[in-house]
Amino acid sequence: AKQRGKANYVRYHGGMEQPIFAHAQLGGELRRALDAEEFRLVYQPIIELATGRVIGVESLVRWQHPTRGLVSPAEFIPAAEGTGLIVPLGRFVLREACRQAAAWLAEFGPDVLQKIAPNVSVRQLHDPDFVDDVRRILAEAGLPSDRIVLELTESAVLRGPQVLQTLHRLHDMGIRLALDDFGTGESSLSLLRAFPASIVKLDKSFVDGIELDEEGTPEANARQAVARAVIQMAGALGLDTVAEGIENQVQADRLIGLGYTLGQGYHLARPMPAEDFTRLLAAQRER
Ligand code: C2E
Ligand code: CA
Ligand code: CA
Ligand code: CA
């Protein structure tokens, strides 16, 4: 859903047979929404598969539209990228995620919450002020740089030396980088070596159906082969892995069997408002 061309379609909200926004309106609507502070973050736990313990959290943006209700990022991120509005929107996301993470760390400590992982669009990396913005946002939040993981999609890192230089500057500040949706793009060993990543996130498409391999469809076997190749490659390069989109326990067990230790997915925990995640951390502290 990230290809630029798709932003030109009239979009439909959920299953409703009603156009949500024509592309031409969307830019202006987003600008207004940013000024009106209609964007929110929700938080999806990153879980230690063997124990169920929360070790980190990913932030995901939502648009609380006054009449349309909650709008998914798939509906507006492409347009925000196309219009450049992703830069101020992304700044809001980083500020909010860092502020919230600093509050959780102050309350619970780094043993309960190790890291927060906001998503960053490649368009933000092209902004010459990005590194300085991140540095300032961390300082203002009082969040140590080793508590943040920036999630980037693979295609983002293929866009030339300037982006790579930005990534190295972030890395040198102690910020970790995660390669999101891993396996879907042009993943290769050479890419992983050039990119200063600490984490790869196995894309959901390789987790879907992974539990069915013994029934032996070629597709399921191929998915399992990719899941195995990714963890072997990551291990060889000293990278951590997170498996995305785990929807049942059989998938979780299969991934554990392949050597995955961390995961995310509706089966483990859905994205939730900050207050709910605070309660989850409090419950975990009692354990
Ligand atoms: P992503 O970074 O790959 O995030 C994972 C998406 O999968 C999220 O969708 C999450 O809600 C969903 N998900 C998690 N577990 C499961 C599961 O078990 N089953 C299924 N079917 N889905 C699951 P969401 O929140 O709609 O976000 C979609 C995409 O929008 C994200 O994909 C990311 O690329 C982008 N996005 C979200 N927030 C931001 C943001 O703050 N900035 C930027 N630049 N992009 C964002
Ligand atoms: Ca992500
Ligand atoms: Ca992903
Ligand atoms: Ca994705």
Short mmCIF file of all heavy atoms in Angstrom, two decimals, residues 125-181:
data_model
loop_
_atom_site.label_atom_id
_atom_site.label_comp_id
_atom_site.label_asym_id
_atom_site.label_seq_id
_atom_site.Cartn_x
_atom_site.Cartn_y
_atom_site.Cartn_z
N LEU A 125 13.97 11.14 5.72
CA LEU A 125 15.42 11.02 5.69
C LEU A 125 16.04 11.96 4.67
O LEU A 125 17.21 12.30 4.74
CB LEU A 125 15.84 9.58 5.37
CG LEU A 125 15.36 8.50 6.33
CD1 LEU A 125 15.79 7.13 5.83
CD2 LEU A 125 15.89 8.73 7.73
N HIS A 126 15.24 12.38 3.70
CA HIS A 126 15.73 13.33 2.70
C HIS A 126 15.73 14.75 3.22
O HIS A 126 16.31 15.64 2.61
CB HIS A 126 14.88 13.26 1.42
CG HIS A 126 15.11 12.02 0.62
ND1 HIS A 126 16.28 11.77 -0.04
CD2 HIS A 126 14.33 10.94 0.41
CE1 HIS A 126 16.22 10.60 -0.65
NE2 HIS A 126 15.05 10.07 -0.38
N ASP A 127 15.06 14.98 4.34
CA ASP A 127 15.02 16.32 4.91
C ASP A 127 16.37 16.60 5.58
O ASP A 127 16.78 15.87 6.47
CB ASP A 127 13.88 16.38 5.94
CG ASP A 127 13.85 17.72 6.67
OD1 ASP A 127 14.45 18.69 6.15
OD2 ASP A 127 13.26 17.77 7.76
N PRO A 128 17.06 17.65 5.13
CA PRO A 128 18.41 17.91 5.66
C PRO A 128 18.42 18.16 7.16
O PRO A 128 19.47 18.00 7.81
CB PRO A 128 18.88 19.15 4.88
CG PRO A 128 17.67 19.71 4.22
CD PRO A 128 16.67 18.61 4.08
N ASP A 129 17.29 18.54 7.74
CA ASP A 129 17.24 18.82 9.18
C ASP A 129 16.93 17.59 10.01
O ASP A 129 16.84 17.68 11.24
CB ASP A 129 16.16 19.88 9.47
CG ASP A 129 16.50 21.22 8.82
OD1 ASP A 129 17.71 21.50 8.65
OD2 ASP A 129 15.56 21.94 8.45
N PHE A 130 16.74 16.43 9.36
CA PHE A 130 16.22 15.28 10.10
C PHE A 130 17.07 14.90 11.32
O PHE A 130 16.55 14.75 12.43
CB PHE A 130 16.05 14.06 9.18
CG PHE A 130 15.42 12.88 9.88
CD1 PHE A 130 14.09 12.90 10.26
CD2 PHE A 130 16.17 11.75 10.18
CE1 PHE A 130 13.51 11.82 10.90
CE2 PHE A 130 15.61 10.67 10.84
CZ PHE A 130 14.27 10.71 11.20
N VAL A 131 18.38 14.78 11.11
CA VAL A 131 19.24 14.33 12.21
C VAL A 131 19.20 15.33 13.37
O VAL A 131 19.09 14.94 14.54
CB VAL A 131 20.69 14.09 11.72
CG1 VAL A 131 21.61 13.76 12.88
CG2 VAL A 131 20.71 12.96 10.69
N ASP A 132 19.25 16.62 13.03
CA ASP A 132 19.18 17.64 14.09
C ASP A 132 17.83 17.62 14.80
O ASP A 132 17.76 17.78 16.02
CB ASP A 132 19.43 19.03 13.50
CG ASP A 132 20.89 19.21 13.09
OD1 ASP A 132 21.75 18.49 13.63
OD2 ASP A 132 21.16 20.07 12.24
N ASP A 133 16.77 17.39 14.03
CA ASP A 133 15.44 17.30 14.64
C ASP A 133 15.39 16.14 15.65
O ASP A 133 14.88 16.31 16.76
CB ASP A 133 14.37 17.04 13.57
CG ASP A 133 14.01 18.30 12.79
OD1 ASP A 133 14.40 19.41 13.24
OD2 ASP A 133 13.35 18.18 11.74
N VAL A 134 15.92 15.00 15.23
CA VAL A 134 15.89 13.83 16.12
C VAL A 134 16.68 14.13 17.39
O VAL A 134 16.23 13.85 18.50
CB VAL A 134 16.45 12.58 15.40
CG1 VAL A 134 16.64 11.43 16.37
CG2 VAL A 134 15.53 12.17 14.26
N ARG A 135 17.86 14.71 17.21
CA ARG A 135 18.70 15.03 18.36
C ARG A 135 17.97 15.96 19.34
O ARG A 135 17.95 15.75 20.54
CB ARG A 135 20.00 15.70 17.87
CG ARG A 135 21.15 15.64 18.88
CD ARG A 135 22.28 16.57 18.45
NE ARG A 135 22.62 16.42 17.04
CZ ARG A 135 23.55 15.59 16.58
NH1 ARG A 135 24.21 14.83 17.40
NH2 ARG A 135 23.79 15.52 15.27
N ARG A 136 17.32 16.99 18.78
CA ARG A 136 16.61 17.96 19.62
C ARG A 136 15.41 17.31 20.31
O ARG A 136 15.15 17.54 21.50
CB ARG A 136 16.16 19.15 18.76
CG ARG A 136 15.86 20.41 19.57
CD ARG A 136 15.14 21.46 18.75
NE ARG A 136 13.91 20.91 18.18
CZ ARG A 136 13.68 20.73 16.89
NH1 ARG A 136 14.56 21.07 16.01
NH2 ARG A 136 12.55 20.19 16.47
N ILE A 137 14.69 16.48 19.56
CA ILE A 137 13.50 15.83 20.12
C ILE A 137 13.88 14.90 21.28
O ILE A 137 13.22 14.90 22.33
CB ILE A 137 12.73 15.08 19.01
CG1 ILE A 137 12.03 16.09 18.09
CG2 ILE A 137 11.74 14.07 19.59
CD1 ILE A 137 11.51 15.50 16.78
N LEU A 138 14.96 14.15 21.11
CA LEU A 138 15.43 13.28 22.20
C LEU A 138 15.81 14.10 23.42
O LEU A 138 15.47 13.76 24.56
CB LEU A 138 16.64 12.45 21.74
CG LEU A 138 16.36 11.30 20.76
CD1 LEU A 138 17.68 10.72 20.25
CD2 LEU A 138 15.52 10.21 21.41
N ALA A 139 16.53 15.20 23.18
CA ALA A 139 16.98 16.05 24.30
C ALA A 139 15.79 16.64 25.03
O ALA A 139 15.73 16.63 26.26
CB ALA A 139 17.91 17.15 23.77
N GLU A 140 14.82 17.15 24.26
CA GLU A 140 13.64 17.77 24.88
C GLU A 140 12.83 16.76 25.69
O GLU A 140 12.29 17.09 26.74
CB GLU A 140 12.75 18.42 23.81
CG GLU A 140 13.31 19.77 23.35
CD GLU A 140 12.58 20.34 22.15
OE1 GLU A 140 11.55 19.77 21.72
OE2 GLU A 140 13.06 21.38 21.63
N ALA A 141 12.78 15.52 25.18
CA ALA A 141 12.03 14.48 25.91
C ALA A 141 12.84 13.92 27.07
O ALA A 141 12.28 13.28 27.96
CB ALA A 141 11.65 13.36 24.95
N GLY A 142 14.14 14.14 27.05
CA GLY A 142 14.99 13.52 28.06
C GLY A 142 15.11 12.01 27.86
O GLY A 142 15.25 11.25 28.81
N LEU A 143 15.04 11.59 26.60
CA LEU A 143 15.12 10.15 26.29
C LEU A 143 16.52 9.82 25.78
O LEU A 143 16.97 10.39 24.79
CB LEU A 143 14.07 9.79 25.23
CG LEU A 143 13.91 8.29 24.94
CD1 LEU A 143 13.28 7.57 26.11
CD2 LEU A 143 13.08 8.07 23.67
N PRO A 144 17.22 8.87 26.43
CA PRO A 144 18.54 8.47 25.93
C PRO A 144 18.42 7.86 24.53
O PRO A 144 17.45 7.16 24.25
CB PRO A 144 19.01 7.41 26.94
CG PRO A 144 18.12 7.56 28.13
CD PRO A 144 16.83 8.13 27.64
N SER A 145 19.40 8.14 23.69
CA SER A 145 19.30 7.71 22.29
C SER A 145 19.27 6.19 22.15
O SER A 145 18.75 5.67 21.17
CB SER A 145 20.44 8.30 21.46
OG SER A 145 21.68 7.88 21.99
N ASP A 146 19.79 5.46 23.14
CA ASP A 146 19.79 4.00 23.01
C ASP A 146 18.44 3.38 23.37
O ASP A 146 18.31 2.15 23.36
CB ASP A 146 20.92 3.37 23.83
CG ASP A 146 20.77 3.64 25.32
OD1 ASP A 146 19.85 4.39 25.72
OD2 ASP A 146 21.58 3.09 26.10
N ARG A 147 17.44 4.20 23.65
CA ARG A 147 16.09 3.69 23.93
C ARG A 147 15.19 3.76 22.71
O ARG A 147 14.02 3.37 22.76
CB ARG A 147 15.43 4.47 25.08
CG ARG A 147 16.14 4.29 26.39
CD ARG A 147 15.98 2.88 26.91
NE ARG A 147 17.04 2.55 27.86
CZ ARG A 147 17.48 1.31 28.09
NH1 ARG A 147 16.95 0.30 27.44
NH2 ARG A 147 18.44 1.10 28.95
N ILE A 148 15.71 4.32 21.61
CA ILE A 148 14.85 4.49 20.45
C ILE A 148 15.35 3.64 19.29
O ILE A 148 16.56 3.49 19.08
CB ILE A 148 14.73 5.99 20.06
CG1 ILE A 148 13.59 6.21 19.09
CG2 ILE A 148 16.02 6.54 19.51
CD1 ILE A 148 13.32 7.67 18.82
N VAL A 149 14.40 3.04 18.58
CA VAL A 149 14.69 2.27 17.37
C VAL A 149 13.85 2.88 16.26
O VAL A 149 12.64 2.96 16.37
CB VAL A 149 14.30 0.79 17.54
CG1 VAL A 149 14.49 0.03 16.23
CG2 VAL A 149 15.10 0.13 18.66
N LEU A 150 14.49 3.33 15.20
CA LEU A 150 13.73 3.88 14.08
C LEU A 150 13.45 2.75 13.09
O LEU A 150 14.37 2.08 12.64
CB LEU A 150 14.51 5.01 13.40
CG LEU A 150 14.89 6.19 14.30
CD1 LEU A 150 15.65 7.24 13.49
CD2 LEU A 150 13.66 6.82 14.95
N GLU A 151 12.15 2.57 12.77
CA GLU A 151 11.77 1.52 11.82
C GLU A 151 11.68 2.10 10.41
O GLU A 151 10.93 3.03 10.16
CB GLU A 151 10.42 0.89 12.21
CG GLU A 151 10.51 0.17 13.55
CD GLU A 151 9.41 -0.88 13.75
OE1 GLU A 151 8.55 -1.04 12.85
OE2 GLU A 151 9.44 -1.53 14.81
N LEU A 152 12.46 1.51 9.51
CA LEU A 152 12.52 1.98 8.13
C LEU A 152 12.22 0.83 7.20
O LEU A 152 12.66 -0.29 7.45
CB LEU A 152 13.94 2.46 7.81
CG LEU A 152 14.48 3.55 8.72
CD1 LEU A 152 16.00 3.58 8.66
CD2 LEU A 152 13.91 4.87 8.26
N THR A 153 11.48 1.08 6.13
CA THR A 153 11.28 0.00 5.17
C THR A 153 12.52 -0.12 4.29
O THR A 153 13.23 0.85 4.05
CB THR A 153 10.04 0.24 4.29
OG1 THR A 153 10.13 1.53 3.75
CG2 THR A 153 8.78 0.11 5.11
N GLU A 154 12.73 -1.33 3.81
CA GLU A 154 13.93 -1.62 3.04
C GLU A 154 14.15 -0.69 1.87
O GLU A 154 15.26 -0.27 1.60
CB GLU A 154 13.82 -3.02 2.44
CG GLU A 154 13.92 -4.11 3.43
CD GLU A 154 13.64 -5.41 2.72
OE1 GLU A 154 14.41 -5.71 1.79
OE2 GLU A 154 12.68 -6.07 3.06
N SER A 155 13.07 -0.40 1.15
CA SER A 155 13.21 0.42 -0.05
C SER A 155 13.83 1.76 0.30
O SER A 155 14.53 2.36 -0.50
CB SER A 155 11.85 0.63 -0.71
OG SER A 155 10.98 1.27 0.20
N ALA A 156 13.58 2.20 1.55
CA ALA A 156 14.11 3.49 1.99
C ALA A 156 15.62 3.54 1.90
O ALA A 156 16.20 4.59 1.62
CB ALA A 156 13.68 3.76 3.43
N VAL A 157 16.26 2.43 2.13
CA VAL A 157 17.72 2.46 2.23
C VAL A 157 18.37 2.28 0.87
O VAL A 157 19.57 2.37 0.74
CB VAL A 157 18.24 1.40 3.21
CG1 VAL A 157 17.63 1.64 4.57
CG2 VAL A 157 17.93 0.01 2.73
N LEU A 158 17.56 2.03 -0.13
CA LEU A 158 18.13 1.81 -1.47
C LEU A 158 18.22 3.11 -2.25
O LEU A 158 18.57 3.11 -3.41
CB LEU A 158 17.25 0.82 -2.25
CG LEU A 158 17.18 -0.58 -1.64
CD1 LEU A 158 16.12 -1.40 -2.33
CD2 LEU A 158 18.53 -1.26 -1.73
N ARG A 159 17.87 4.20 -1.59
CA ARG A 159 17.78 5.48 -2.32
C ARG A 159 19.05 6.30 -2.26
O ARG A 159 19.02 7.49 -2.06
CB ARG A 159 16.61 6.32 -1.77
CG ARG A 159 15.31 5.59 -1.64
CD ARG A 159 14.56 5.61 -2.95
NE ARG A 159 13.30 4.86 -2.82
CZ ARG A 159 12.14 5.41 -2.52
NH1 ARG A 159 12.04 6.69 -2.35
NH2 ARG A 159 11.06 4.67 -2.42
N GLY A 160 20.17 5.65 -2.34
CA GLY A 160 21.39 6.41 -2.58
C GLY A 160 22.20 6.78 -1.36
O GLY A 160 21.79 6.57 -0.23
N PRO A 161 23.37 7.33 -1.62
CA PRO A 161 24.39 7.56 -0.60
C PRO A 161 23.99 8.59 0.45
O PRO A 161 24.42 8.50 1.60
CB PRO A 161 25.60 8.05 -1.40
CG PRO A 161 25.06 8.53 -2.69
CD PRO A 161 23.83 7.74 -2.96
N GLN A 162 23.14 9.57 0.07
CA GLN A 162 22.78 10.60 1.03
C GLN A 162 21.98 10.01 2.19
O GLN A 162 22.22 10.33 3.35
CB GLN A 162 21.95 11.67 0.34
CG GLN A 162 22.39 13.07 0.68
CD GLN A 162 21.80 14.07 -0.30
OE1 GLN A 162 21.44 13.73 -1.42
NE2 GLN A 162 21.69 15.31 0.13
N VAL A 163 21.03 9.15 1.84
CA VAL A 163 20.22 8.50 2.86
C VAL A 163 21.11 7.63 3.75
O VAL A 163 21.00 7.65 4.98
CB VAL A 163 19.10 7.64 2.22
CG1 VAL A 163 18.48 6.70 3.24
CG2 VAL A 163 18.04 8.55 1.62
N LEU A 164 22.03 6.93 3.12
CA LEU A 164 22.92 6.06 3.87
C LEU A 164 23.77 6.86 4.85
O LEU A 164 24.01 6.44 5.99
CB LEU A 164 23.81 5.28 2.89
CG LEU A 164 24.29 3.91 3.37
CD1 LEU A 164 23.13 3.01 3.76
CD2 LEU A 164 25.13 3.24 2.29
N GLN A 165 24.19 8.04 4.41
CA GLN A 165 25.00 8.89 5.29
C GLN A 165 24.17 9.35 6.50
O GLN A 165 24.67 9.37 7.63
CB GLN A 165 25.51 10.10 4.49
CG GLN A 165 26.69 10.77 5.16
CD GLN A 165 26.90 12.18 4.64
OE1 GLN A 165 26.12 12.68 3.82
NE2 GLN A 165 27.92 12.85 5.14
N THR A 166 22.92 9.72 6.23
CA THR A 166 22.02 10.09 7.33
C THR A 166 21.87 8.94 8.32
O THR A 166 21.92 9.14 9.54
CB THR A 166 20.64 10.48 6.76
OG1 THR A 166 20.80 11.61 5.91
CG2 THR A 166 19.65 10.81 7.86
N LEU A 167 21.70 7.75 7.79
CA LEU A 167 21.54 6.58 8.67
C LEU A 167 22.77 6.34 9.52
O LEU A 167 22.67 6.01 10.70
CB LEU A 167 21.21 5.34 7.83
CG LEU A 167 19.89 5.41 7.05
CD1 LEU A 167 19.71 4.17 6.20
CD2 LEU A 167 18.71 5.60 7.99
N HIS A 168 23.94 6.55 8.93
CA HIS A 168 25.17 6.37 9.71
C HIS A 168 25.30 7.45 10.80
O HIS A 168 25.77 7.15 11.90
CB HIS A 168 26.40 6.37 8.79
CG HIS A 168 26.62 5.03 8.15
ND1 HIS A 168 27.16 3.96 8.83
CD2 HIS A 168 26.32 4.57 6.91
CE1 HIS A 168 27.21 2.91 8.03
NE2 HIS A 168 26.70 3.25 6.85
N ARG A 169 24.88 8.66 10.50
CA ARG A 169 24.92 9.70 11.54
C ARG A 169 24.01 9.33 12.71
O ARG A 169 24.36 9.53 13.88
CB ARG A 169 24.51 11.05 10.94
CG ARG A 169 25.58 11.66 10.02
CD ARG A 169 25.09 12.96 9.42
NE ARG A 169 24.89 14.02 10.42
CZ ARG A 169 24.16 15.11 10.21
NH1 ARG A 169 23.53 15.28 9.07
NH2 ARG A 169 24.05 16.01 11.15
N LEU A 170 22.83 8.80 12.40
CA LEU A 170 21.90 8.39 13.47
C LEU A 170 22.52 7.25 14.27
O LEU A 170 22.49 7.25 15.51
CB LEU A 170 20.57 7.95 12.85
CG LEU A 170 19.76 9.05 12.16
CD1 LEU A 170 18.66 8.44 11.30
CD2 LEU A 170 19.16 10.02 13.19
N HIS A 171 23.08 6.30 13.56
CA HIS A 171 23.74 5.15 14.19
C HIS A 171 24.86 5.62 15.13
O HIS A 171 24.99 5.13 16.26
CB HIS A 171 24.28 4.24 13.09
CG HIS A 171 24.96 3.01 13.61
ND1 HIS A 171 24.26 1.93 14.11
CD2 HIS A 171 26.26 2.70 13.72
CE1 HIS A 171 25.12 1.00 14.48
NE2 HIS A 171 26.34 1.44 14.27
N ASP A 172 25.62 6.60 14.66
CA ASP A 172 26.73 7.12 15.48
C ASP A 172 26.23 7.84 16.74
O ASP A 172 26.98 7.98 17.71
CB ASP A 172 27.60 8.09 14.65
CG ASP A 172 28.38 7.34 13.56
OD1 ASP A 172 28.46 6.10 13.63
OD2 ASP A 172 28.87 8.02 12.63
N MET A 173 24.98 8.30 16.70
CA MET A 173 24.39 8.92 17.90
C MET A 173 23.90 7.86 18.89
O MET A 173 23.41 8.20 19.96
CB MET A 173 23.17 9.78 17.50
CG MET A 173 23.51 11.11 16.85
SD MET A 173 22.04 11.83 16.02
CE MET A 173 20.93 12.05 17.41
N GLY A 174 24.02 6.60 18.53
CA GLY A 174 23.57 5.52 19.42
C GLY A 174 22.14 5.09 19.17
O GLY A 174 21.57 4.30 19.93
N ILE A 175 21.54 5.62 18.10
CA ILE A 175 20.17 5.25 17.75
C ILE A 175 20.20 3.97 16.94
O ILE A 175 21.01 3.82 16.03
CB ILE A 175 19.53 6.40 16.92
CG1 ILE A 175 19.35 7.62 17.81
CG2 ILE A 175 18.21 5.95 16.29
CD1 ILE A 175 18.94 8.87 17.04
N ARG A 176 19.32 3.02 17.30
CA ARG A 176 19.27 1.78 16.53
C ARG A 176 18.26 1.91 15.39
O ARG A 176 17.28 2.65 15.48
CB ARG A 176 18.90 0.62 17.44
CG ARG A 176 20.12 0.10 18.21
CD ARG A 176 19.72 -0.89 19.26
NE ARG A 176 18.88 -0.24 20.27
CZ ARG A 176 18.20 -0.88 21.19
NH1 ARG A 176 18.20 -2.20 21.23
NH2 ARG A 176 17.49 -0.22 22.09
N LEU A 177 18.53 1.14 14.33
CA LEU A 177 17.67 1.14 13.16
C LEU A 177 17.16 -0.26 12.90
O LEU A 177 17.90 -1.24 13.02
CB LEU A 177 18.46 1.64 11.93
CG LEU A 177 19.16 2.99 12.10
CD1 LEU A 177 20.05 3.28 10.89
CD2 LEU A 177 18.14 4.11 12.28
N ALA A 178 15.87 -0.34 12.57
CA ALA A 178 15.27 -1.64 12.23
C ALA A 178 14.85 -1.61 10.76
O ALA A 178 14.28 -0.63 10.29
CB ALA A 178 14.06 -1.90 13.11
N LEU A 179 15.14 -2.70 10.06
CA LEU A 179 14.65 -2.85 8.68
C LEU A 179 13.27 -3.50 8.74
O LEU A 179 13.15 -4.67 9.11
CB LEU A 179 15.60 -3.72 7.87
CG LEU A 179 16.69 -3.01 7.09
CD1 LEU A 179 17.51 -4.03 6.31
CD2 LEU A 179 16.11 -1.98 6.16
N ASP A 180 12.26 -2.72 8.38
CA ASP A 180 10.86 -3.13 8.48
C ASP A 180 10.47 -3.95 7.24
O ASP A 180 11.11 -3.84 6.21
CB ASP A 180 10.00 -1.86 8.53
CG ASP A 180 8.71 -2.06 9.31
OD1 ASP A 180 8.30 -3.21 9.52
OD2 ASP A 180 8.13 -1.03 9.70
N ASP A 181 9.42 -4.75 7.37
CA ASP A 181 8.87 -5.50 6.24
C ASP A 181 9.94 -6.32 5.55
O ASP A 181 9.94 -6.47 4.32
CB ASP A 181 8.22 -4.55 5.20
CG ASP A 181 7.11 -3.73 5.80
OD1 ASP A 181 6.65 -4.04 6.90
OD2 ASP A 181 6.68 -2.75 5.15
#
